[in-house]
Amino acid sequence: MAVTSAQIVDFLVTNPDLTDAQIVKAMEVNGVSPAQMAQAVGLKEGDVAARAAATIPNGQTITLGDTVV
């Protein structure tokens, strides 16, 4: 089942103290791409992808939705 923008916003509002790493893990588990997160919260996709990439150890990747970061 696809996650909606409203569900993303509700999750973030309900959990205001999440770190970027925790948000990225939730994105991974729920199949949310940086593009979908960006659309939901009003940021640029590149900004979301950069923040996600900053949580990943050097030389590793993560798949978020349909995007490899």
Side-chain angles (χ1 to χ4, degrees), residues 7-54:
Q7 289 172 313
I8 292 169
V9 171
D10 287 345
F11 174 75
L12 295 172
V13 168
T14 304
N15 300 284
D17 297 324
L18 291 175
T19 64
D20 282 354
Q22 291 169 316
I23 293 169
V24 169
K25 184 62 179 174
M27 289 172 67
E28 180 184 28
V29 169
N30 293 289
V32 174
S33 70
Q36 187 178 5
M37 177 63 80
Q39 182 178 17
V41 299
L43 294 173
K44 294 179 182 175
E45 180 180 353
D47 292 342
V48 174
R51 286 178 68 169

